Amino acid sequence: MGKEVILLKLGEIALKGLNRRTFEDALLKSLRRRLKSAGEFSVSSVQSTVYVEPLEETADLELAEKRCAKVFGIVGYVRAAQVEKDLKKIREKAAEYLQETLEEISSFKVECKRSDKKFPYKSPEISAEVGAYLLEKYPHLRVDVHHPDLVVRVEVREQSAFVHSETKPGAGGIPVGTGGKAAVLISGGLDSPVAAYLMAKRGVELVAIHFASPPYTSEQAHDKVVRLLRKVSEYAGRIKMITVNFTRLQEEIRDKCQEDLSTVILRRFMLRAAEQIAREEGCHALATGESLGQVASQTMEAIACTDAVVSMPVFRPLIGADKSEIVKLSYQIDTYDISIEPYEDCCTIFTPKHPRTRPILHFVEDAEKAIDGEGLLTKALENIETMQIWPYES
Ligand code: ATP
Ligand code: MG
């Protein structure tokens, strides 16, 4: 004994009653997959806590901790020293394990949780004992129960005791794979990667669909989307990315459709294509990064015109978000710097000078008849590229 482990506190899962098993299984699966390339770990769950224990010297605990911080379903995580259930050993371990911090701070308190009710001391007694020992060892310290610089936590559990400092906030959400599967339309912009992250946060497995129009859109623009998805997949797990070539379709729309409706027409074709792919991939919904009123194609009327071509639900997790809120999230998931790289998107080529902000459905349907939509869509869907996105080595 005497090794260091990571303790993960489960979130909403704990409330899911009958489904609890499914939730825990999905969570453990996500964790194990992510930890593979950080060394050999045992991952097990007992009473709303997951234990991540290194099984070999070379297992990288720091890396494991970073990975765990991005797993949905976990509300808090902390590295902890595992120690025998012996009060003397516990207090010695507390002094040793937290030495560096204890030397730097001036006040602390000890909090204890005892789930092993057979342990001969009650929580307040354990706290008092450990506190007294730390005061003796570090005479510069004082106890402050209201605003301590550090809370020393002791947990006495069935299998052993643990000592650690404050738990850090986890990724929240619910484990990916428990909320169904959705196809998210992904561009190189700020919004859609954040929307993808938010869908995954609610347990949804993602398939990503990207429309490219080479040579108007470049290889770099495509690569940008791949890099964005890699960031998202640190949270969302493996993502299948499907790239659809929209060049011919866009040229036809540009050449033959009423100019001020071309944006909404393009978006209708995007959703049609996405729905077909989504069905083949076993998805039950689509998702986009739209936010109400952000641009001409994101008015309620324009959204109604695009949604009219699909029967699957289209989720828009950012519909009520301000740009500043989206930016904040993009910093948080580290997609911001990639998103602002200046590459073109198929939505930004051939843009009309005055897109109609309140398109009327039957005019849009009429305007669309100028091209062989069905034929072009079939061709586009015959010409797709697939790749698996996963940020780690294995
Ligand atoms: P984003 O920041 O996500 O690019 P945006 O504010 O630029 O969004 P639009 O370009 O109008 O808005 O796109 C709205 C939504 O349509 C995007 O959030 C995305 O879901 C989808 N979308 C746009 N362009 C593409 C594309 N090339 N491939 C796939 N989906 C796209
Ligand atoms: Mg965009």
mmCIF file of all heavy atoms in Angstrom, residues 251-271:
data_model
loop_
_atom_site.group_PDB
_atom_site.id
_atom_site.type_symbol
_atom_site.label_atom_id
_atom_site.label_comp_id
_atom_site.label_asym_id
_atom_site.label_seq_id
_atom_site.Cartn_x
_atom_site.Cartn_y
_atom_site.Cartn_z
ATOM 1 N N GLU A 251 -22.252 25.210 -57.186
ATOM 2 C CA GLU A 251 -22.127 25.922 -58.458
ATOM 3 C C GLU A 251 -23.486 26.045 -59.144
ATOM 4 O O GLU A 251 -23.832 27.093 -59.693
ATOM 5 C CB GLU A 251 -21.141 25.190 -59.386
ATOM 6 C CG GLU A 251 -19.687 25.364 -58.959
ATOM 7 C CD GLU A 251 -18.727 24.479 -59.763
ATOM 8 O OE1 GLU A 251 -19.178 23.452 -60.335
ATOM 9 O OE2 GLU A 251 -17.529 24.804 -59.805
ATOM 10 N N GLU A 252 -24.249 24.974 -59.078
ATOM 11 C CA GLU A 252 -25.579 24.986 -59.698
ATOM 12 C C GLU A 252 -26.489 26.007 -59.014
ATOM 13 O O GLU A 252 -27.205 26.750 -59.670
ATOM 14 C CB GLU A 252 -26.202 23.587 -59.620
ATOM 15 C CG GLU A 252 -25.607 22.594 -60.602
ATOM 16 C CD GLU A 252 -26.149 22.802 -62.016
ATOM 17 O OE1 GLU A 252 -27.342 22.543 -62.256
ATOM 18 O OE2 GLU A 252 -25.350 23.226 -62.880
ATOM 19 N N ILE A 253 -26.429 26.014 -57.680
ATOM 20 C CA ILE A 253 -27.254 26.980 -56.940
ATOM 21 C C ILE A 253 -26.836 28.406 -57.324
ATOM 22 O O ILE A 253 -27.673 29.267 -57.605
ATOM 23 C CB ILE A 253 -27.120 26.765 -55.413
ATOM 24 C CG1 ILE A 253 -27.693 25.410 -54.998
ATOM 25 C CG2 ILE A 253 -27.832 27.891 -54.648
ATOM 26 C CD1 ILE A 253 -27.453 25.026 -53.532
ATOM 27 N N ARG A 254 -25.531 28.637 -57.370
ATOM 28 C CA ARG A 254 -25.023 29.963 -57.728
ATOM 29 C C ARG A 254 -25.490 30.379 -59.126
ATOM 30 O O ARG A 254 -25.942 31.507 -59.339
ATOM 31 C CB ARG A 254 -23.478 29.961 -57.685
ATOM 32 C CG ARG A 254 -22.841 31.262 -58.155
ATOM 33 C CD ARG A 254 -21.367 31.097 -58.477
ATOM 34 N NE ARG A 254 -21.150 30.127 -59.563
ATOM 35 C CZ ARG A 254 -19.953 29.669 -59.941
ATOM 36 N NH1 ARG A 254 -18.868 30.072 -59.301
ATOM 37 N NH2 ARG A 254 -19.845 28.797 -60.931
ATOM 38 N N ASP A 255 -25.410 29.433 -60.059
ATOM 39 C CA ASP A 255 -25.706 29.777 -61.443
ATOM 40 C C ASP A 255 -27.197 29.851 -61.747
ATOM 41 O O ASP A 255 -27.617 30.573 -62.631
ATOM 42 C CB ASP A 255 -25.050 28.765 -62.390
ATOM 43 C CG ASP A 255 -23.528 28.823 -62.307
ATOM 44 O OD1 ASP A 255 -23.012 29.852 -61.821
ATOM 45 O OD2 ASP A 255 -22.864 27.836 -62.696
ATOM 46 N N LYS A 256 -28.003 29.069 -61.038
ATOM 47 C CA LYS A 256 -29.397 28.937 -61.489
ATOM 48 C C LYS A 256 -30.481 29.385 -60.506
ATOM 49 O O LYS A 256 -31.623 29.575 -60.906
ATOM 50 C CB LYS A 256 -29.654 27.465 -61.879
ATOM 51 C CG LYS A 256 -28.783 27.031 -63.049
ATOM 52 C CD LYS A 256 -29.075 25.623 -63.488
ATOM 53 C CE LYS A 256 -28.169 25.228 -64.642
ATOM 54 N NZ LYS A 256 -28.044 23.768 -64.745
ATOM 55 N N CYS A 257 -30.144 29.527 -59.242
ATOM 56 C CA CYS A 257 -31.203 29.866 -58.283
ATOM 57 C C CYS A 257 -31.226 31.363 -57.989
ATOM 58 O O CYS A 257 -30.208 32.048 -58.113
ATOM 59 C CB CYS A 257 -31.024 29.094 -56.982
ATOM 60 S SG CYS A 257 -31.230 27.312 -57.175
ATOM 61 N N GLN A 258 -32.377 31.830 -57.583
ATOM 62 C CA GLN A 258 -32.548 33.242 -57.206
ATOM 63 C C GLN A 258 -31.517 33.608 -56.139
ATOM 64 O O GLN A 258 -31.442 32.958 -55.096
ATOM 65 C CB GLN A 258 -33.968 33.399 -56.673
ATOM 66 C CG GLN A 258 -34.382 34.829 -56.414
ATOM 67 C CD GLN A 258 -35.801 34.873 -55.839
ATOM 68 O OE1 GLN A 258 -36.681 34.127 -56.277
ATOM 69 N NE2 GLN A 258 -36.005 35.739 -54.860
ATOM 70 N N GLU A 259 -30.754 34.670 -56.409
ATOM 71 C CA GLU A 259 -29.574 34.945 -55.596
ATOM 72 C C GLU A 259 -29.867 35.144 -54.107
ATOM 73 O O GLU A 259 -29.205 34.570 -53.240
ATOM 74 C CB GLU A 259 -28.826 36.171 -56.140
ATOM 75 C CG GLU A 259 -27.428 36.266 -55.547
ATOM 76 C CD GLU A 259 -26.771 37.627 -55.755
ATOM 77 O OE1 GLU A 259 -27.279 38.436 -56.548
ATOM 78 O OE2 GLU A 259 -25.747 37.875 -55.094
ATOM 79 N N ASP A 260 -30.888 35.946 -53.811
ATOM 80 C CA ASP A 260 -31.111 36.259 -52.391
ATOM 81 C C ASP A 260 -31.622 35.062 -51.580
ATOM 82 O O ASP A 260 -31.702 35.114 -50.357
ATOM 83 C CB ASP A 260 -32.035 37.474 -52.232
ATOM 84 C CG ASP A 260 -33.408 37.230 -52.816
ATOM 85 O OD1 ASP A 260 -33.586 36.206 -53.531
ATOM 86 O OD2 ASP A 260 -34.320 38.033 -52.569
ATOM 87 N N LEU A 261 -31.960 33.961 -52.287
ATOM 88 C CA LEU A 261 -32.412 32.767 -51.557
ATOM 89 C C LEU A 261 -31.348 31.667 -51.542
ATOM 90 O O LEU A 261 -31.568 30.576 -51.013
ATOM 91 C CB LEU A 261 -33.708 32.224 -52.186
ATOM 92 C CG LEU A 261 -34.931 33.133 -52.059
ATOM 93 C CD1 LEU A 261 -36.131 32.509 -52.773
ATOM 94 C CD2 LEU A 261 -35.272 33.403 -50.593
ATOM 95 N N SER A 262 -30.196 31.962 -52.142
ATOM 96 C CA SER A 262 -29.207 30.891 -52.322
ATOM 97 C C SER A 262 -28.684 30.339 -50.992
ATOM 98 O O SER A 262 -28.407 29.143 -50.880
ATOM 99 C CB SER A 262 -28.057 31.368 -53.206
ATOM 100 O OG SER A 262 -27.387 32.429 -52.575
ATOM 101 N N THR A 263 -28.575 31.181 -49.986
ATOM 102 C CA THR A 263 -28.070 30.699 -48.696
ATOM 103 C C THR A 263 -29.041 29.692 -48.070
ATOM 104 O O THR A 263 -28.642 28.606 -47.643
ATOM 105 C CB THR A 263 -27.846 31.879 -47.719
ATOM 106 O OG1 THR A 263 -26.982 32.815 -48.341
ATOM 107 C CG2 THR A 263 -27.209 31.404 -46.430
ATOM 108 N N VAL A 264 -30.285 30.054 -48.044
ATOM 109 C CA VAL A 264 -31.262 29.153 -47.421
ATOM 110 C C VAL A 264 -31.410 27.865 -48.250
ATOM 111 O O VAL A 264 -31.564 26.772 -47.704
ATOM 112 C CB VAL A 264 -32.617 29.872 -47.151
ATOM 113 C CG1 VAL A 264 -33.335 30.242 -48.408
ATOM 114 C CG2 VAL A 264 -33.492 29.021 -46.251
ATOM 115 N N ILE A 265 -31.264 27.988 -49.563
ATOM 116 C CA ILE A 265 -31.333 26.792 -50.412
ATOM 117 C C ILE A 265 -30.143 25.864 -50.118
ATOM 118 O O ILE A 265 -30.304 24.655 -49.940
ATOM 119 C CB ILE A 265 -31.393 27.178 -51.910
ATOM 120 C CG1 ILE A 265 -32.752 27.834 -52.204
ATOM 121 C CG2 ILE A 265 -31.165 25.959 -52.806
ATOM 122 C CD1 ILE A 265 -32.873 28.425 -53.602
ATOM 123 N N LEU A 266 -28.968 26.456 -50.029
ATOM 124 C CA LEU A 266 -27.783 25.649 -49.701
ATOM 125 C C LEU A 266 -27.987 24.935 -48.361
ATOM 126 O O LEU A 266 -27.702 23.744 -48.224
ATOM 127 C CB LEU A 266 -26.537 26.548 -49.627
ATOM 128 C CG LEU A 266 -25.269 25.881 -49.076
ATOM 129 C CD1 LEU A 266 -24.814 24.727 -49.973
ATOM 130 C CD2 LEU A 266 -24.142 26.905 -48.914
ATOM 131 N N ARG A 267 -28.510 25.643 -47.395
ATOM 132 C CA ARG A 267 -28.699 25.046 -46.077
ATOM 133 C C ARG A 267 -29.725 23.914 -46.117
ATOM 134 O O ARG A 267 -29.593 22.916 -45.406
ATOM 135 C CB ARG A 267 -29.086 26.110 -45.055
ATOM 136 C CG ARG A 267 -28.010 27.197 -44.927
ATOM 137 C CD ARG A 267 -28.072 27.929 -43.625
ATOM 138 N NE ARG A 267 -28.018 27.004 -42.513
ATOM 139 C CZ ARG A 267 -26.912 26.411 -42.092
ATOM 140 N NH1 ARG A 267 -25.762 26.656 -42.686
ATOM 141 N NH2 ARG A 267 -26.950 25.578 -41.089
ATOM 142 N N ARG A 268 -30.738 24.068 -46.951
ATOM 143 C CA ARG A 268 -31.722 22.979 -47.098
ATOM 144 C C ARG A 268 -31.043 21.724 -47.663
ATOM 145 O O ARG A 268 -31.316 20.607 -47.225
ATOM 146 C CB ARG A 268 -32.874 23.431 -48.008
ATOM 147 C CG ARG A 268 -33.884 24.313 -47.260
ATOM 148 C CD ARG A 268 -34.692 25.173 -48.215
ATOM 149 N NE ARG A 268 -35.520 24.416 -49.163
ATOM 150 C CZ ARG A 268 -36.774 24.018 -48.925
ATOM 151 N NH1 ARG A 268 -37.340 24.282 -47.761
ATOM 152 N NH2 ARG A 268 -37.470 23.373 -49.838
ATOM 153 N N PHE A 269 -30.125 21.925 -48.619
ATOM 154 C CA PHE A 269 -29.439 20.754 -49.166
ATOM 155 C C PHE A 269 -28.492 20.140 -48.135
ATOM 156 O O PHE A 269 -28.325 18.921 -48.078
ATOM 157 C CB PHE A 269 -28.733 21.090 -50.480
ATOM 158 C CG PHE A 269 -29.686 21.093 -51.633
ATOM 159 C CD1 PHE A 269 -30.157 22.278 -52.183
ATOM 160 C CD2 PHE A 269 -30.177 19.883 -52.139
ATOM 161 C CE1 PHE A 269 -31.077 22.266 -53.217
ATOM 162 C CE2 PHE A 269 -31.102 19.871 -53.179
ATOM 163 C CZ PHE A 269 -31.562 21.070 -53.716
ATOM 164 N N MET A 270 -27.898 20.981 -47.335
ATOM 165 C CA MET A 270 -27.028 20.447 -46.271
ATOM 166 C C MET A 270 -27.839 19.537 -45.336
ATOM 167 O O MET A 270 -27.406 18.443 -44.995
ATOM 168 C CB MET A 270 -26.449 21.590 -45.436
ATOM 169 C CG MET A 270 -25.292 22.314 -46.073
ATOM 170 S SD MET A 270 -24.655 23.484 -44.837
ATOM 171 C CE MET A 270 -23.228 24.084 -45.685
ATOM 172 N N LEU A 271 -28.998 20.025 -44.951
ATOM 173 C CA LEU A 271 -29.802 19.220 -44.015
ATOM 174 C C LEU A 271 -30.330 17.944 -44.668
ATOM 175 O O LEU A 271 -30.355 16.889 -44.036
ATOM 176 C CB LEU A 271 -30.966 20.035 -43.449
ATOM 177 C CG LEU A 271 -30.651 21.076 -42.381
ATOM 178 C CD1 LEU A 271 -31.858 21.334 -41.488
ATOM 179 C CD2 LEU A 271 -29.481 20.700 -41.502
#
